[in-house]
Amino acid sequence: GSLSYGLCNLGLADIVPAYLTVISSVMIIFFGMFSVGSRIFTQKGYDILASMPVKSGSIVLSRFLSHYFADLVLTLVVMLPGIVIYGKSQKPDLIFYLLFSVGVLFVPAIPLVIATLFGTIVTAISSRMKNKSMAQSLISVVIVVGIIILSFSMDNATTDITKEQLFNIATV
């Protein structure tokens, strides 16, 4: 919400929906790649479901859909406050709200697939090791440290940004 407020006050209100989509997507990828292994590939409850006349693909699909709906809730939590502030500032037409209502359903899809790929790779690597949970934790910590180092290295390069530079970066 505060990001939307700041961008609207800087005259960059046109990019608020895109920014909110990117923020939601990054959060889904970041949190999803650590939880997808435990949500989709866990054995908890799988033994009971496997004994029933249900295809294993249906079981994985249902777990994937439950992950999707959890990510949809995260998307709504991130995007709704920003869209409310954007709506108060810009007063868009009714068509914007209709498109937003439909479009928000698709926001978690691609990040969820990316997070699932990362999570599957981490789970596949750690499943071949003796201490699976320790290996999974270690790989996750390495990924987080890598993201933090990358973030700080990008932060050092962007000091003393003018309003025009911020506008150019934001529009890109």
Side-chain angles (χ1 to χ4, degrees), residues 4-143:
S4 296
Y5 181 76
L7 288 173
C8 288
N9 282 340
L10 285 173
L12 301 172
D14 293 339
I15 63 172
V16 167
Y19 260 84
L20 294 173
T21 302
V22 168
I23 290 170
S24 298
S25 298
V26 169
M27 288 180 69
I28 289 170
I29 290 171
F30 188 74
F31 291 123
M33 69 182 177
F34 300 121
S35 66
V36 75
S38 63
R39 283 192 182 174
I40 293 180
F41 301 112
T42 186
Q43 289 294 329
K44 182 180 176 184
Y46 182 76
D47 298 331
I48 295 170
L49 292 173
S51 65
M52 295 181 177
V54 178
K55 295 179 184 176
S56 60
S58 299
I59 296 170
V60 172
L61 180 63
S62 70
R63 290 182 177 185
F64 190 79
L65 285 175
S66 71
H67 202 255
Y68 166 79
F69 287 118
D71 289 343
L72 182 61
V73 169
L74 176 65
T75 300
L76 290 171
V77 167
V78 170
M79 292 187 78
L80 281 179
I83 290 298
V84 167
I85 291 172
Y86 173 79
K88 284 184 177 182
S89 170
Q90 298 301 303
K91 298 179 181 31
D93 295 335
L94 180 63
I95 192 76
F96 169 80
Y97 293 108
L98 292 173
L99 290 174
F100 171 77
S101 299
V102 173
V104 76
L105 298 174
F106 296 101
V107 169
I110 293 174
L112 178 59
V113 170
I114 293 169
T116 301
L117 288 174
F118 276 117
T120 302
I121 291 169
V122 169
T123 302
I125 292 170
S126 64
S127 69
R128 290 178 168 70
M129 298 186 179
K130 188 175 182 179
N131 295 323
K132 294 176 186 174
S133 61
M134 184 188 302
Q136 193 168 7
S137 297
L138 184 63
I139 293 168
S140 299
V141 166
V142 167
I143 291 171

